[in-house]
Amino acid sequence: MTHLPEELTNRLLAFRAEREWEQFHNARSLAIALAVEASELLEHFIWAKDAEVAEIVDKRRDEVEAELADVGILLAYLCHHLGVDLTAAVAQKMAANALKYPVEKSRGRSEKYTRL
């Protein structure tokens, strides 16, 4: 369960089932594939200066979007496999982060909560 639109989740699961790929999709393999795809996204920005990022995205938008889609697809499969409600997990994490990073201590700062 990912709380993607149900129709999209069903299409992803049907696509995978038609190819009999579920046999390869255990939690470990999906997590590894997710990290690999995130790395492929990062590859577009390697060695770039901050000022160059917008231009890179503009020139490679299709490729960047494809990598983002790969990350999203694998995250959806992993959430489905583990029975994780992504919307609820994100909401829970935001609540925990609000406690770790109170506005009055963390506004404009990048330190980890243990250093605030």
Side-chain angles (χ1 to χ4, degrees), residues 2 4 12 30-45 63-79 86:
T2 63
L4 286 173
L12 287 170
L30 288 167
I32 290 169
L34 182 59
V36 169
E37 292 300 337
S39 295
E40 289 179 10
L41 174 61
L42 286 172
E43 192 172 21
H44 290 282
F45 306 107
E63 296 171 55
V64 169
E65 286 180 2
E67 296 304 344
L68 286 167
D70 287 340
V71 168
I73 289 166
L74 287 164
L75 182 59
Y77 285 149
L78 185 57
C79 287
L86 185 58

PDB file of all heavy atoms in Angstrom, residues 2 4 12 30-45 63-79 86:
ATOM      1  N   THR A   2       0.733   2.088  -0.980  1.00  0.00           N
ATOM      2  CA  THR A   2       1.614   3.241  -1.085  1.00  0.00           C
ATOM      3  C   THR A   2       0.869   4.571  -1.073  1.00  0.00           C
ATOM      4  O   THR A   2       1.471   5.613  -0.942  1.00  0.00           O
ATOM      5  CB  THR A   2       2.416   3.194  -2.400  1.00  0.00           C
ATOM      6  OG1 THR A   2       1.503   3.276  -3.476  1.00  0.00           O
ATOM      7  CG2 THR A   2       3.268   1.968  -2.490  1.00  0.00           C
ATOM      8  N   LEU A   4      -0.281   5.869  -3.589  1.00  0.00           N
ATOM      9  CA  LEU A   4      -0.280   6.426  -4.933  1.00  0.00           C
ATOM     10  C   LEU A   4      -1.717   6.297  -5.407  1.00  0.00           C
ATOM     11  O   LEU A   4      -2.492   5.524  -4.837  1.00  0.00           O
ATOM     12  CB  LEU A   4       0.614   5.586  -5.852  1.00  0.00           C
ATOM     13  CG  LEU A   4       2.112   5.712  -5.703  1.00  0.00           C
ATOM     14  CD1 LEU A   4       2.803   4.685  -6.586  1.00  0.00           C
ATOM     15  CD2 LEU A   4       2.592   7.098  -6.062  1.00  0.00           C
ATOM     16  N   LEU A  12       1.242  -0.477 -12.116  1.00  0.00           N
ATOM     17  CA  LEU A  12       2.604  -0.907 -11.788  1.00  0.00           C
ATOM     18  C   LEU A  12       2.642  -2.391 -11.436  1.00  0.00           C
ATOM     19  O   LEU A  12       3.509  -3.133 -11.912  1.00  0.00           O
ATOM     20  CB  LEU A  12       3.162  -0.094 -10.616  1.00  0.00           C
ATOM     21  CG  LEU A  12       3.549   1.347 -10.902  1.00  0.00           C
ATOM     22  CD1 LEU A  12       3.843   2.081  -9.595  1.00  0.00           C
ATOM     23  CD2 LEU A  12       4.746   1.403 -11.823  1.00  0.00           C
ATOM     24  N   LEU A  30      14.783  -4.844  -3.744  1.00  0.00           N
ATOM     25  CA  LEU A  30      14.117  -3.583  -4.036  1.00  0.00           C
ATOM     26  C   LEU A  30      14.848  -2.408  -3.404  1.00  0.00           C
ATOM     27  O   LEU A  30      14.997  -1.354  -4.033  1.00  0.00           O
ATOM     28  CB  LEU A  30      12.659  -3.624  -3.578  1.00  0.00           C
ATOM     29  CG  LEU A  30      11.742  -4.509  -4.425  1.00  0.00           C
ATOM     30  CD1 LEU A  30      10.420  -4.746  -3.712  1.00  0.00           C
ATOM     31  CD2 LEU A  30      11.521  -3.903  -5.804  1.00  0.00           C
ATOM     32  N   ALA A  31      15.324  -2.583  -2.175  1.00  0.00           N
ATOM     33  CA  ALA A  31      16.067  -1.501  -1.514  1.00  0.00           C
ATOM     34  C   ALA A  31      17.375  -1.216  -2.251  1.00  0.00           C
ATOM     35  O   ALA A  31      17.756  -0.052  -2.436  1.00  0.00           O
ATOM     36  CB  ALA A  31      16.333  -1.863  -0.049  1.00  0.00           C
ATOM     37  N   ILE A  32      18.051  -2.259  -2.687  1.00  0.00           N
ATOM     38  CA  ILE A  32      19.290  -2.073  -3.451  1.00  0.00           C
ATOM     39  C   ILE A  32      18.988  -1.363  -4.770  1.00  0.00           C
ATOM     40  O   ILE A  32      19.675  -0.404  -5.146  1.00  0.00           O
ATOM     41  CB  ILE A  32      19.994  -3.426  -3.698  1.00  0.00           C
ATOM     42  CG1 ILE A  32      20.556  -3.980  -2.388  1.00  0.00           C
ATOM     43  CG2 ILE A  32      21.099  -3.290  -4.749  1.00  0.00           C
ATOM     44  CD1 ILE A  32      21.021  -5.425  -2.480  1.00  0.00           C
ATOM     45  N   ALA A  33      17.971  -1.813  -5.476  1.00  0.00           N
ATOM     46  CA  ALA A  33      17.609  -1.201  -6.755  1.00  0.00           C
ATOM     47  C   ALA A  33      17.226   0.265  -6.559  1.00  0.00           C
ATOM     48  O   ALA A  33      17.573   1.118  -7.385  1.00  0.00           O
ATOM     49  CB  ALA A  33      16.465  -1.976  -7.402  1.00  0.00           C
ATOM     50  N   LEU A  34      16.542   0.565  -5.465  1.00  0.00           N
ATOM     51  CA  LEU A  34      16.168   1.944  -5.163  1.00  0.00           C
ATOM     52  C   LEU A  34      17.414   2.803  -4.980  1.00  0.00           C
ATOM     53  O   LEU A  34      17.501   3.913  -5.522  1.00  0.00           O
ATOM     54  CB  LEU A  34      15.293   1.969  -3.913  1.00  0.00           C
ATOM     55  CG  LEU A  34      14.745   3.295  -3.442  1.00  0.00           C
ATOM     56  CD1 LEU A  34      13.899   3.959  -4.500  1.00  0.00           C
ATOM     57  CD2 LEU A  34      13.926   3.080  -2.172  1.00  0.00           C
ATOM     58  N   ALA A  35      18.395   2.287  -4.254  1.00  0.00           N
ATOM     59  CA  ALA A  35      19.645   3.034  -4.054  1.00  0.00           C
ATOM     60  C   ALA A  35      20.393   3.217  -5.369  1.00  0.00           C
ATOM     61  O   ALA A  35      20.955   4.289  -5.634  1.00  0.00           O
ATOM     62  CB  ALA A  35      20.525   2.311  -3.035  1.00  0.00           C
ATOM     63  N   VAL A  36      20.395   2.211  -6.207  1.00  0.00           N
ATOM     64  CA  VAL A  36      21.065   2.303  -7.508  1.00  0.00           C
ATOM     65  C   VAL A  36      20.402   3.367  -8.369  1.00  0.00           C
ATOM     66  O   VAL A  36      21.078   4.205  -8.984  1.00  0.00           O
ATOM     67  CB  VAL A  36      21.078   0.935  -8.226  1.00  0.00           C
ATOM     68  CG1 VAL A  36      21.523   1.072  -9.673  1.00  0.00           C
ATOM     69  CG2 VAL A  36      21.975  -0.044  -7.474  1.00  0.00           C
ATOM     70  N   GLU A  37      19.079   3.356  -8.411  1.00  0.00           N
ATOM     71  CA  GLU A  37      18.373   4.352  -9.227  1.00  0.00           C
ATOM     72  C   GLU A  37      18.572   5.763  -8.673  1.00  0.00           C
ATOM     73  O   GLU A  37      18.711   6.716  -9.445  1.00  0.00           O
ATOM     74  CB  GLU A  37      16.886   4.014  -9.341  1.00  0.00           C
ATOM     75  CG  GLU A  37      16.593   2.770 -10.153  1.00  0.00           C
ATOM     76  CD  GLU A  37      17.076   2.836 -11.590  1.00  0.00           C
ATOM     77  OE1 GLU A  37      17.258   3.935 -12.148  1.00  0.00           O
ATOM     78  OE2 GLU A  37      17.260   1.755 -12.190  1.00  0.00           O
ATOM     79  N   ALA A  38      18.603   5.904  -7.356  1.00  0.00           N
ATOM     80  CA  ALA A  38      18.882   7.220  -6.764  1.00  0.00           C
ATOM     81  C   ALA A  38      20.285   7.672  -7.155  1.00  0.00           C
ATOM     82  O   ALA A  38      20.514   8.856  -7.448  1.00  0.00           O
ATOM     83  CB  ALA A  38      18.725   7.167  -5.248  1.00  0.00           C
ATOM     84  N   SER A  39      21.221   6.740  -7.217  1.00  0.00           N
ATOM     85  CA  SER A  39      22.577   7.074  -7.651  1.00  0.00           C
ATOM     86  C   SER A  39      22.608   7.494  -9.110  1.00  0.00           C
ATOM     87  O   SER A  39      23.358   8.402  -9.485  1.00  0.00           O
ATOM     88  CB  SER A  39      23.509   5.876  -7.439  1.00  0.00           C
ATOM     89  OG  SER A  39      23.630   5.590  -6.067  1.00  0.00           O
ATOM     90  N   GLU A  40      21.800   6.846  -9.934  1.00  0.00           N
ATOM     91  CA  GLU A  40      21.736   7.236 -11.344  1.00  0.00           C
ATOM     92  C   GLU A  40      21.167   8.646 -11.489  1.00  0.00           C
ATOM     93  O   GLU A  40      21.586   9.394 -12.368  1.00  0.00           O
ATOM     94  CB  GLU A  40      20.921   6.221 -12.134  1.00  0.00           C
ATOM     95  CG  GLU A  40      21.655   4.897 -12.297  1.00  0.00           C
ATOM     96  CD  GLU A  40      20.872   3.849 -13.056  1.00  0.00           C
ATOM     97  OE1 GLU A  40      19.812   4.168 -13.639  1.00  0.00           O
ATOM     98  OE2 GLU A  40      21.315   2.691 -13.072  1.00  0.00           O
ATOM     99  N   LEU A  41      20.252   9.015 -10.615  1.00  0.00           N
ATOM    100  CA  LEU A  41      19.745  10.389 -10.598  1.00  0.00           C
ATOM    101  C   LEU A  41      20.875  11.347 -10.223  1.00  0.00           C
ATOM    102  O   LEU A  41      21.068  12.381 -10.873  1.00  0.00           O
ATOM    103  CB  LEU A  41      18.586  10.510  -9.610  1.00  0.00           C
ATOM    104  CG  LEU A  41      18.024  11.905  -9.368  1.00  0.00           C
ATOM    105  CD1 LEU A  41      17.460  12.502 -10.648  1.00  0.00           C
ATOM    106  CD2 LEU A  41      16.966  11.844  -8.274  1.00  0.00           C
ATOM    107  N   LEU A  42      21.631  11.000  -9.218  1.00  0.00           N
ATOM    108  CA  LEU A  42      22.740  11.847  -8.782  1.00  0.00           C
ATOM    109  C   LEU A  42      23.808  12.013  -9.856  1.00  0.00           C
ATOM    110  O   LEU A  42      24.473  13.047  -9.930  1.00  0.00           O
ATOM    111  CB  LEU A  42      23.388  11.260  -7.528  1.00  0.00           C
ATOM    112  CG  LEU A  42      22.614  11.410  -6.238  1.00  0.00           C
ATOM    113  CD1 LEU A  42      23.279  10.602  -5.130  1.00  0.00           C
ATOM    114  CD2 LEU A  42      22.496  12.867  -5.844  1.00  0.00           C
ATOM    115  N   GLU A  43      23.956  11.009 -10.686  1.00  0.00           N
ATOM    116  CA  GLU A  43      24.978  11.057 -11.729  1.00  0.00           C
ATOM    117  C   GLU A  43      24.817  12.279 -12.637  1.00  0.00           C
ATOM    118  O   GLU A  43      25.804  12.812 -13.141  1.00  0.00           O
ATOM    119  CB  GLU A  43      24.913   9.768 -12.549  1.00  0.00           C
ATOM    120  CG  GLU A  43      26.085   9.566 -13.462  1.00  0.00           C
ATOM    121  CD  GLU A  43      26.069   8.194 -14.106  1.00  0.00           C
ATOM    122  OE1 GLU A  43      24.989   7.565 -14.172  1.00  0.00           O
ATOM    123  OE2 GLU A  43      27.137   7.761 -14.554  1.00  0.00           O
ATOM    124  N   HIS A  44      23.601  12.744 -12.803  1.00  0.00           N
ATOM    125  CA  HIS A  44      23.376  13.929 -13.646  1.00  0.00           C
ATOM    126  C   HIS A  44      24.005  15.186 -13.053  1.00  0.00           C
ATOM    127  O   HIS A  44      24.256  16.147 -13.768  1.00  0.00           O
ATOM    128  CB  HIS A  44      21.875  14.160 -13.859  1.00  0.00           C
ATOM    129  CG  HIS A  44      21.261  13.122 -14.738  1.00  0.00           C
ATOM    130  ND1 HIS A  44      21.386  13.130 -16.101  1.00  0.00           N
ATOM    131  CD2 HIS A  44      20.546  12.014 -14.424  1.00  0.00           C
ATOM    132  CE1 HIS A  44      20.762  12.085 -16.603  1.00  0.00           C
ATOM    133  NE2 HIS A  44      20.243  11.391 -15.602  1.00  0.00           N
ATOM    134  N   PHE A  45      24.241  15.170 -11.767  1.00  0.00           N
ATOM    135  CA  PHE A  45      24.721  16.375 -11.084  1.00  0.00           C
ATOM    136  C   PHE A  45      26.164  16.269 -10.592  1.00  0.00           C
ATOM    137  O   PHE A  45      26.677  17.213 -10.000  1.00  0.00           O
ATOM    138  CB  PHE A  45      23.803  16.685  -9.894  1.00  0.00           C
ATOM    139  CG  PHE A  45      22.367  16.782 -10.298  1.00  0.00           C
ATOM    140  CD1 PHE A  45      21.470  15.778  -9.978  1.00  0.00           C
ATOM    141  CD2 PHE A  45      21.913  17.871 -11.031  1.00  0.00           C
ATOM    142  CE1 PHE A  45      20.140  15.863 -10.360  1.00  0.00           C
ATOM    143  CE2 PHE A  45      20.584  17.963 -11.422  1.00  0.00           C
ATOM    144  CZ  PHE A  45      19.700  16.949 -11.085  1.00  0.00           C
ATOM    145  N   GLU A  63      15.712  12.890 -19.067  1.00  0.00           N
ATOM    146  CA  GLU A  63      16.522  11.887 -18.380  1.00  0.00           C
ATOM    147  C   GLU A  63      16.338  11.967 -16.868  1.00  0.00           C
ATOM    148  O   GLU A  63      16.231  10.930 -16.200  1.00  0.00           O
ATOM    149  CB  GLU A  63      17.999  12.082 -18.729  1.00  0.00           C
ATOM    150  CG  GLU A  63      18.326  11.864 -20.185  1.00  0.00           C
ATOM    151  CD  GLU A  63      19.745  12.286 -20.503  1.00  0.00           C
ATOM    152  OE1 GLU A  63      20.682  11.793 -19.849  1.00  0.00           O
ATOM    153  OE2 GLU A  63      19.918  13.129 -21.395  1.00  0.00           O
ATOM    154  N   VAL A  64      16.308  13.174 -16.335  1.00  0.00           N
ATOM    155  CA  VAL A  64      16.119  13.356 -14.892  1.00  0.00           C
ATOM    156  C   VAL A  64      14.747  12.839 -14.479  1.00  0.00           C
ATOM    157  O   VAL A  64      14.613  12.123 -13.480  1.00  0.00           O
ATOM    158  CB  VAL A  64      16.316  14.840 -14.497  1.00  0.00           C
ATOM    159  CG1 VAL A  64      15.869  15.094 -13.067  1.00  0.00           C
ATOM    160  CG2 VAL A  64      17.782  15.245 -14.694  1.00  0.00           C
ATOM    161  N   GLU A  65      13.719  13.164 -15.263  1.00  0.00           N
ATOM    162  CA  GLU A  65      12.377  12.676 -14.951  1.00  0.00           C
ATOM    163  C   GLU A  65      12.312  11.156 -15.012  1.00  0.00           C
ATOM    164  O   GLU A  65      11.633  10.519 -14.192  1.00  0.00           O
ATOM    165  CB  GLU A  65      11.344  13.288 -15.889  1.00  0.00           C
ATOM    166  CG  GLU A  65      11.051  14.735 -15.582  1.00  0.00           C
ATOM    167  CD  GLU A  65      10.012  15.352 -16.507  1.00  0.00           C
ATOM    168  OE1 GLU A  65       9.476  14.637 -17.395  1.00  0.00           O
ATOM    169  OE2 GLU A  65       9.736  16.554 -16.334  1.00  0.00           O
ATOM    170  N   ALA A  66      13.008  10.555 -15.961  1.00  0.00           N
ATOM    171  CA  ALA A  66      13.028   9.093 -16.068  1.00  0.00           C
ATOM    172  C   ALA A  66      13.664   8.465 -14.831  1.00  0.00           C
ATOM    173  O   ALA A  66      13.168   7.447 -14.316  1.00  0.00           O
ATOM    174  CB  ALA A  66      13.760   8.657 -17.335  1.00  0.00           C
ATOM    175  N   GLU A  67      14.746   9.058 -14.352  1.00  0.00           N
ATOM    176  CA  GLU A  67      15.391   8.536 -13.135  1.00  0.00           C
ATOM    177  C   GLU A  67      14.486   8.725 -11.918  1.00  0.00           C
ATOM    178  O   GLU A  67      14.386   7.837 -11.067  1.00  0.00           O
ATOM    179  CB  GLU A  67      16.751   9.193 -12.907  1.00  0.00           C
ATOM    180  CG  GLU A  67      17.787   8.907 -13.973  1.00  0.00           C
ATOM    181  CD  GLU A  67      18.076   7.433 -14.225  1.00  0.00           C
ATOM    182  OE1 GLU A  67      17.723   6.567 -13.393  1.00  0.00           O
ATOM    183  OE2 GLU A  67      18.662   7.139 -15.275  1.00  0.00           O
ATOM    184  N   LEU A  68      13.832   9.883 -11.825  1.00  0.00           N
ATOM    185  CA  LEU A  68      12.884  10.101 -10.733  1.00  0.00           C
ATOM    186  C   LEU A  68      11.748   9.084 -10.787  1.00  0.00           C
ATOM    187  O   LEU A  68      11.303   8.572  -9.751  1.00  0.00           O
ATOM    188  CB  LEU A  68      12.329  11.526 -10.780  1.00  0.00           C
ATOM    189  CG  LEU A  68      13.285  12.620 -10.331  1.00  0.00           C
ATOM    190  CD1 LEU A  68      12.747  13.995 -10.724  1.00  0.00           C
ATOM    191  CD2 LEU A  68      13.516  12.550  -8.823  1.00  0.00           C
ATOM    192  N   ALA A  69      11.279   8.787 -11.994  1.00  0.00           N
ATOM    193  CA  ALA A  69      10.220   7.788 -12.152  1.00  0.00           C
ATOM    194  C   ALA A  69      10.705   6.416 -11.686  1.00  0.00           C
ATOM    195  O   ALA A  69       9.965   5.694 -10.998  1.00  0.00           O
ATOM    196  CB  ALA A  69       9.760   7.729 -13.603  1.00  0.00           C
ATOM    197  N   ASP A  70      11.939   6.049 -12.046  1.00  0.00           N
ATOM    198  CA  ASP A  70      12.489   4.772 -11.583  1.00  0.00           C
ATOM    199  C   ASP A  70      12.523   4.703 -10.062  1.00  0.00           C
ATOM    200  O   ASP A  70      12.165   3.680  -9.463  1.00  0.00           O
ATOM    201  CB  ASP A  70      13.902   4.552 -12.141  1.00  0.00           C
ATOM    202  CG  ASP A  70      13.912   4.207 -13.623  1.00  0.00           C
ATOM    203  OD1 ASP A  70      12.871   3.760 -14.146  1.00  0.00           O
ATOM    204  OD2 ASP A  70      14.981   4.380 -14.244  1.00  0.00           O
ATOM    205  N   VAL A  71      12.946   5.791  -9.428  1.00  0.00           N
ATOM    206  CA  VAL A  71      12.979   5.847  -7.959  1.00  0.00           C
ATOM    207  C   VAL A  71      11.561   5.682  -7.416  1.00  0.00           C
ATOM    208  O   VAL A  71      11.324   4.902  -6.486  1.00  0.00           O
ATOM    209  CB  VAL A  71      13.623   7.169  -7.470  1.00  0.00           C
ATOM    210  CG1 VAL A  71      13.406   7.371  -5.984  1.00  0.00           C
ATOM    211  CG2 VAL A  71      15.117   7.186  -7.806  1.00  0.00           C
ATOM    212  N   GLY A  72      10.607   6.401  -8.000  1.00  0.00           N
ATOM    213  CA  GLY A  72       9.225   6.319  -7.538  1.00  0.00           C
ATOM    214  C   GLY A  72       8.627   4.934  -7.713  1.00  0.00           C
ATOM    215  O   GLY A  72       7.929   4.425  -6.826  1.00  0.00           O
ATOM    216  N   ILE A  73       8.898   4.317  -8.842  1.00  0.00           N
ATOM    217  CA  ILE A  73       8.379   2.969  -9.112  1.00  0.00           C
ATOM    218  C   ILE A  73       8.926   1.979  -8.096  1.00  0.00           C
ATOM    219  O   ILE A  73       8.177   1.184  -7.512  1.00  0.00           O
ATOM    220  CB  ILE A  73       8.720   2.541 -10.550  1.00  0.00           C
ATOM    221  CG1 ILE A  73       7.890   3.346 -11.550  1.00  0.00           C
ATOM    222  CG2 ILE A  73       8.502   1.040 -10.749  1.00  0.00           C
ATOM    223  CD1 ILE A  73       8.387   3.255 -12.988  1.00  0.00           C
ATOM    224  N   LEU A  74      10.220   2.017  -7.884  1.00  0.00           N
ATOM    225  CA  LEU A  74      10.820   1.073  -6.939  1.00  0.00           C
ATOM    226  C   LEU A  74      10.358   1.338  -5.514  1.00  0.00           C
ATOM    227  O   LEU A  74      10.138   0.396  -4.742  1.00  0.00           O
ATOM    228  CB  LEU A  74      12.349   1.103  -7.056  1.00  0.00           C
ATOM    229  CG  LEU A  74      12.849   0.431  -8.335  1.00  0.00           C
ATOM    230  CD1 LEU A  74      14.285   0.818  -8.613  1.00  0.00           C
ATOM    231  CD2 LEU A  74      12.696  -1.080  -8.246  1.00  0.00           C
ATOM    232  N   LEU A  75      10.197   2.608  -5.150  1.00  0.00           N
ATOM    233  CA  LEU A  75       9.665   2.922  -3.826  1.00  0.00           C
ATOM    234  C   LEU A  75       8.239   2.380  -3.680  1.00  0.00           C
ATOM    235  O   LEU A  75       7.881   1.815  -2.649  1.00  0.00           O
ATOM    236  CB  LEU A  75       9.711   4.426  -3.580  1.00  0.00           C
ATOM    237  CG  LEU A  75       9.218   4.898  -2.218  1.00  0.00           C
ATOM    238  CD1 LEU A  75      10.015   4.263  -1.087  1.00  0.00           C
ATOM    239  CD2 LEU A  75       9.285   6.414  -2.137  1.00  0.00           C
ATOM    240  N   ALA A  76       7.444   2.514  -4.733  1.00  0.00           N
ATOM    241  CA  ALA A  76       6.078   1.984  -4.705  1.00  0.00           C
ATOM    242  C   ALA A  76       6.084   0.465  -4.531  1.00  0.00           C
ATOM    243  O   ALA A  76       5.321  -0.079  -3.728  1.00  0.00           O
ATOM    244  CB  ALA A  76       5.334   2.374  -5.978  1.00  0.00           C
ATOM    245  N   TYR A  77       6.950  -0.226  -5.276  1.00  0.00           N
ATOM    246  CA  TYR A  77       7.045  -1.678  -5.133  1.00  0.00           C
ATOM    247  C   TYR A  77       7.489  -2.066  -3.720  1.00  0.00           C
ATOM    248  O   TYR A  77       6.955  -3.005  -3.130  1.00  0.00           O
ATOM    249  CB  TYR A  77       8.033  -2.269  -6.146  1.00  0.00           C
ATOM    250  CG  TYR A  77       7.544  -2.343  -7.566  1.00  0.00           C
ATOM    251  CD1 TYR A  77       8.445  -2.225  -8.617  1.00  0.00           C
ATOM    252  CD2 TYR A  77       6.206  -2.546  -7.885  1.00  0.00           C
ATOM    253  CE1 TYR A  77       8.023  -2.308  -9.935  1.00  0.00           C
ATOM    254  CE2 TYR A  77       5.782  -2.629  -9.195  1.00  0.00           C
ATOM    255  CZ  TYR A  77       6.691  -2.515 -10.222  1.00  0.00           C
ATOM    256  OH  TYR A  77       6.276  -2.600 -11.527  1.00  0.00           O
ATOM    257  N   LEU A  78       8.472  -1.361  -3.194  1.00  0.00           N
ATOM    258  CA  LEU A  78       8.975  -1.686  -1.857  1.00  0.00           C
ATOM    259  C   LEU A  78       7.894  -1.451  -0.796  1.00  0.00           C
ATOM    260  O   LEU A  78       7.699  -2.288   0.083  1.00  0.00           O
ATOM    261  CB  LEU A  78      10.237  -0.881  -1.548  1.00  0.00           C
ATOM    262  CG  LEU A  78      10.946  -1.187  -0.234  1.00  0.00           C
ATOM    263  CD1 LEU A  78      11.329  -2.662  -0.129  1.00  0.00           C
ATOM    264  CD2 LEU A  78      12.178  -0.305  -0.088  1.00  0.00           C
ATOM    265  N   CYS A  79       7.208  -0.329  -0.878  1.00  0.00           N
ATOM    266  CA  CYS A  79       6.120  -0.058   0.069  1.00  0.00           C
ATOM    267  C   CYS A  79       5.040  -1.127  -0.037  1.00  0.00           C
ATOM    268  O   CYS A  79       4.544  -1.628   0.983  1.00  0.00           O
ATOM    269  CB  CYS A  79       5.525   1.321  -0.180  1.00  0.00           C
ATOM    270  SG  CYS A  79       6.580   2.671   0.362  1.00  0.00           S
ATOM    271  N   LEU A  86       2.834   4.751   2.714  1.00  0.00           N
ATOM    272  CA  LEU A  86       3.842   5.806   2.594  1.00  0.00           C
ATOM    273  C   LEU A  86       3.332   7.131   3.131  1.00  0.00           C
ATOM    274  O   LEU A  86       4.069   7.858   3.802  1.00  0.00           O
ATOM    275  CB  LEU A  86       4.308   5.937   1.140  1.00  0.00           C
ATOM    276  CG  LEU A  86       5.437   6.922   0.881  1.00  0.00           C
ATOM    277  CD1 LEU A  86       6.678   6.571   1.702  1.00  0.00           C
ATOM    278  CD2 LEU A  86       5.772   6.954  -0.605  1.00  0.00           C
TER     279      LEU A  86
END
